[in-house]
Amino acid sequence: GLLVAISAVACFESSLADAVAITNVTAPYRGSWVVIWHTWGDPTFVNRVEIGCEYSISSAPATPPTITWLKGSFTDRQVIYKLSSSGEVYVHPEYAGRVSVPSRTRPTLVLTDSKFDGWGRYWCRVTNEEQSDEFGTDEESRLFWFRSSYDPARGDYYSFVKVDKTPVRVKTGGTAKLLCEGWGGKEASIVWFKGPSCTQDGNCNVYEMVINKTAEEHFSPDPGTVNVSPKYAGRASLGANNMGYTLDLTITDIRPADVGRYWCTNDWPLYFRNEVQSRDSQSVVVLLDDEAPSCDGKADGMYQDPGDCSRYYTCSGGWLYGPAPCLTGLFFNEAL
């Protein structure tokens, strides 16, 4: 066996249960609209709206997180405000002079001089720059509705989901069940995503589709088509009840590459008047549980500690020796 300096990313997957700092975002009252009634002819009326956001990061980072507010559906959004960890502020030109976030610790979005076309879904995203991956980035949304006596009601039925955000810890080869409440059934469109991840061009807004169920028209006998990503083929499935499909996701035969953040999204059934047409989403993190080293069924040799890849143990004649630490800064690679 060799002690080899390998990628810390490859090592990271083996010791997630202890190494990650998980970000959790909460949008208070997210199940209800933020509504403004415009008073025509009143020059003193100020179209001001506040959309709350709270978050926690465990364990807390030394550097401030990046705060980003976006507008649109989960799969089609634009950044309207961004406060980087360095203090640099970006504001979308359409919102110049009328958007602010007074506090980084409670990053409520304040909109002034709100416009009729400003209604829709607003997302609060918090990124721990010390761990700006799936575990360090979370977000939630709330809907804003601008209404007047001349403007008909919009979005009487809209997408809303509620995920059990307790991190799911599962052993390699085990089963993870991710619980999500919301409208299911055969008429609903249901999608679970995983991410976000980053591409080589620096785009860190990439989400991988895990499973997707298409929506069907009302009274159609077709329950909808379920598509599963090849990566999860034969392992990912949606829950079921007497109405058809539920939003719960089950993943069997868990692998190290499966760890990360999973997002539950849905749309209301097509037969409802649904003018918002924007998916809501909440997320839950899946972690590998620590596993004790074992020589059961293993040939004599040296193996990586499944709970800490900077350590290794030796199997000889069925007996286990170790684990022992690698030299400082090195990780153990069984293949080499």
Side-chain angles (χ1 to χ4, degrees), residues 262-279:
Y262 290 78
W263 303 81
C264 174
T265 78
N266 77 336
D267 272 342
W268 273 85
L270 298 178
Y271 65 87
F272 282 121
R273 181 162 63 89
N274 180 19
E275 297 180 20
V276 175
Q277 294 294 345
S278 58
R279 291 181 179 273

Side-chain angles (χ1 to χ4, degrees), residues 23 36 51 69 79 89 107 126 136 191 200 227 235 241 268 300 310 332:
T23 300
I36 285 187
I51 305 176
W69 277 92
V79 175
V89 175
V126 178
V191 187
Q200 291 183 346
N227 303 294
R235 301 192 297 125
N241 58 21
W268 273 85
D300 290 355
S310 68
F332 187 81

Side-chain angles (χ1 to χ4, degrees), residues 9-23:
V9 174
C11 169
F12 185 69
E13 292 182 345
S14 297
S15 53
L16 283 171
D18 295 324
V20 298
I22 298 174
T23 300

Side-chain angles (χ1 to χ4, degrees), residues 116 119 145-156 273 275:
F116 279 108
W119 74 284
W145 176 13
F146 200 124
R147 184 177 183 181
S148 76
S149 56
Y150 300 98
D151 191 38
R154 300 182 181 185
D156 287 351
R273 181 162 63 89
E275 297 180 20

Side-chain angles (χ1 to χ4, degrees), residues 252-326:
T252 60
D253 187 22
I254 288 290
R255 304 165 184 175
D258 295 334
V259 299
R261 188 179 294 271
Y262 290 78
W263 303 81
C264 174
T265 78
N266 77 336
D267 272 342
W268 273 85
L270 298 178
Y271 65 87
F272 282 121
R273 181 162 63 89
N274 180 19
E275 297 180 20
V276 175
Q277 294 294 345
S278 58
R279 291 181 179 273
D280 184 26
S281 187
Q282 268 194 321
S283 69
V284 59
V285 164
V286 173
L287 296 168
L288 281 184
D289 219 354
D290 282 346
E291 296 179 348
S294 172
C295 289
D296 292 345
K298 292 182 179 178
D300 290 355
M302 301 168 70
Y303 297 89
Q304 183 187 94
D305 184 340
D308 182 352
C309 57
S310 68
R311 299 168 64 86
Y312 66 97
Y313 64 98
T314 302
C315 292
S316 178
W319 291 90
L320 186 149
Y321 300 89
C326 300

